[in-house]
Amino acid sequence: MELLEQRIIKDGVVKKGNVLKVDSFLNHQIDIELYSEIGAEFARLYKDCDVTKILTIEASGIGIACVTAQSFNNVPVVFAKKNKTTNISDDVYSSKVVSYTHGREYEIVVSKSYIKPEDRILIIDDFLANGKALEGLIKIINQAGATVVGAGIVIEKGFQPGGENLRKQGVRVESLAIVESMNDETGEIVFRH
Amino acid sequence: MELLEQRIIKDGVVKKGNVLKVDSFLNHQIDIELYSEIGAEFARLYKDCDVTKILTIEASGIGIACVTAQSFNNVPVVFAKKNKTTNISDDVYSSKVVSYTHGREYEIVVSKSYIKPEDRILIIDDFLANGKALEGLIKIINQAGATVVGAGIVIEKGFQPGGENLRKQGVRVESLAIVESMNDETGEIVFRH
């Protein structure tokens, strides 16, 4: 997505440790018009897929998912909650996720009431790197017996293995920008096309 | 807001400990059309206030804030983060918040880059009970020297002191539904009008 790549070049900052800081427009301060463009692009990519629900994970996925849902005839959004407690009740689907960014493991939970076997679910998230959060969401959808239509990712770090692993497993992953490489000394960002 | 009160009566569940569960449409599964109606109502209430930015707090405020921003000519949204992550620079405004719900204290942070003295800020959140999160957000806006236009709250628990305290301090608080009382045995919910 040309508009997104241009914005990343203009306002993204490459930091040490493979960090791409895009918090001026994507995940701390939010450019709502850009979100609308992103949502419209996901709708174009998944338009014939009969999506009945959008699933994301707190926190930064929520806004993108809500605006994207508007381009899918206002299908409901469900966001998985990150749970730090060990008390998981029987009325939720849950999955463990290892976060490399934060160096810890956490559990994600979704109430069983909000994913049904007949649901055709599009997963939305801001970043895909190692893919652990996405794998956790897919596990939850599988627990519910629902269908994973695919994943809509805003920025994929193509030099980390998440996207490749998921595609090998047969998951449709559409990333609007795939970073092939980036350099924290020069600030250069190269996209895959 | 009649539509919202009707929805709370229909789908809200009163639980022990003053908990009003609205996670089937507001803060776990999300009814996007309802969010749009909520955003339009906040825009009606604050239409002459020259709002330049919407501030909220992760996680459940983010979606409401993003959809509301569309009714304010797509002003940027900023969400306060509850924990410092490696993706946030040290250059932040911060405030401590005591959560009664979770029985703990946490820090909320906003990058200094995203609130400027000339900003006129509308705070958006899903719930107002004891008002501690809202007070934390106001402290952050004050640190930045920006103007608090007011707060747009979806559901206020009128029997808890947050709303009254803030209004006494001169903060404009507009809550789309104010619960006067609720009963976890009968399930009855009474609204203030």
Side-chain angles (χ1 to χ4, degrees):
Chain A
M1 188 183 173
E2 182 65 24
L3 178 78
L4 176 66
E5 290 183 4
Q6 284 172 3
R7 187 63 176 271
I8 295 167
I9 296 285
K10 179 171 164 275
D11 291 328
V13 180
V14 183
K15 298 269 191 182
K16 278 200 167 45
N18 283 333
V19 172
L20 176 59
K21 201 165 168 272
V22 287
D23 67 2
S24 65
F25 60 96
L26 194 72
N27 54 16
H28 184 20
Q29 179 169 254
I30 293 166
D31 180 336
I32 296 295
E33 286 180 83
L34 180 66
Y35 268 26
S36 296
E37 298 282 351
I38 286 168
E41 181 64 8
F42 286 139
R44 191 185 67 75
L45 290 163
Y46 285 104
K47 69 174 184 296
D48 297 321
C49 296
D50 299 322
V51 172
T52 64
K53 201 160 273 184
I54 289 175
L55 180 65
T56 188
I57 184 167
E58 64 179 18
S60 43
I62 298 174
I64 303 164
C66 287
V67 174
T68 295
Q70 297 176 323
S71 292
F72 283 88
N73 296 315
N74 290 315
V75 294
V77 168
V78 174
F79 64 88
K81 302 191 177 197
K82 289 178 184 169
N83 199 330
K84 284 147 213 152
T85 69
T86 49
N87 293 334
I88 299 291
S89 70
D90 290 340
D91 53 5
V92 297
Y93 300 116
S94 70
S95 177
K96 281 199 173 66
V97 174
V98 177
S99 166
Y100 290 91
T101 316
H102 302 99
R104 61 186 177 85
E105 190 180 75
Y106 57 92
E107 195 129 22
I108 60 175
V109 298
V110 174
S111 167
K112 288 184 180 172
S113 305
Y114 307 135
I115 307 184
K116 297 297 176 191
E118 61 270 26
D119 273 323
R120 297 179 52 80
I121 297 181
L122 175 63
I123 301 170
I124 294 288
D125 210 357
D126 56 342
F127 267 98
L128 170 58
N130 287 295
K132 296 304 173 189
L134 213 53
E135 282 176 13
L137 292 172
I138 291 168
K139 272 182 200 158
I140 280 175
I141 296 169
N142 290 340
Q143 285 169 37
T147 303
V148 180
V149 165
I153 303 296
V154 182
I155 302 175
E156 177 178 341
K157 290 175 172 170
F159 51 88
Q160 286 180 263
E164 194 183 343
N165 289 344
L166 285 157
R167 291 182 183 98
K168 269 187 193 160
Q169 292 164 36
V171 179
R172 181 176 173 189
V173 179
E174 299 282 358
S175 300
L176 304 189
I178 303 180
V179 178
E180 186 70 52
S181 65
M182 54 190 203
N183 187 320
D184 64 76
E185 285 171 8
T186 64
E188 193 191 23
I189 301 168
V190 177
F191 294 102
R192 184 185 301 167
H193 290 119
Chain B
M1 189 182 172
E2 182 65 24
L3 179 78
L4 176 65
E5 291 184 3
Q6 284 172 2
R7 187 61 176 274
I8 295 168
I9 295 284
K10 179 170 163 276
D11 291 328
V13 180
V14 183
K15 297 270 192 183
K16 278 197 167 46
N18 284 333
V19 172
L20 176 58
K21 202 164 166 272
V22 287
D23 68 0
S24 65
F25 60 96
L26 193 71
N27 52 17
H28 183 21
Q29 180 169 252
I30 293 166
D31 179 335
I32 296 296
E33 286 180 84
L34 179 66
Y35 268 25
S36 296
E37 297 283 351
I38 286 168
E41 181 64 7
F42 286 139
R44 191 185 67 76
L45 290 163
Y46 286 102
K47 68 175 184 298
D48 297 322
C49 297
D50 300 322
V51 171
T52 65
K53 201 160 272 185
I54 289 175
L55 179 66
T56 188
I57 184 166
E58 63 179 20
S60 42
I62 299 173
I64 302 164
C66 287
V67 174
T68 295
Q70 296 176 322
S71 291
F72 283 86
N73 295 316
N74 289 316
V75 293
V77 169
V78 174
F79 64 89
K81 303 198 174 195
K82 282 181 178 168
N83 286 308
K84 253 188 192 181
T85 75
T86 51
N87 291 358
I88 295 278
S89 80
D90 292 335
D91 204 12
V92 296
Y93 300 115
S94 69
S95 176
K96 282 202 170 64
V97 174
V98 177
S99 166
Y100 290 91
T101 316
H102 301 100
R104 61 183 179 89
E105 192 179 74
Y106 57 92
E107 193 146 25
I108 60 175
V109 298
V110 174
S111 167
K112 288 183 179 171
S113 305
Y114 307 136
I115 307 186
K116 296 298 174 190
E118 61 270 25
D119 273 324
R120 298 178 52 79
I121 297 181
L122 175 63
I123 302 170
I124 293 288
D125 210 357
D126 56 342
F127 268 98
L128 169 59
N130 288 294
K132 296 304 174 190
L134 214 52
E135 282 176 13
L137 293 172
I138 291 169
K139 272 182 202 157
I140 280 175
I141 296 169
N142 289 340
Q143 285 169 38
T147 303
V148 180
V149 165
I153 302 296
V154 183
I155 301 174
E156 177 179 341
K157 291 174 172 170
F159 51 88
Q160 286 179 264
E164 195 183 341
N165 289 344
L166 286 157
R167 290 183 184 99
K168 270 187 194 160
Q169 292 165 34
V171 178
R172 180 176 175 190
V173 179
E174 300 282 358
S175 300
L176 304 190
I178 303 181
V179 178
E180 186 69 53
S181 65
M182 55 189 203
N183 186 319
D184 65 75
E185 285 172 7
T186 63
E188 193 190 24
I189 301 168
V190 178
F191 294 101
R192 184 185 302 168
H193 288 118

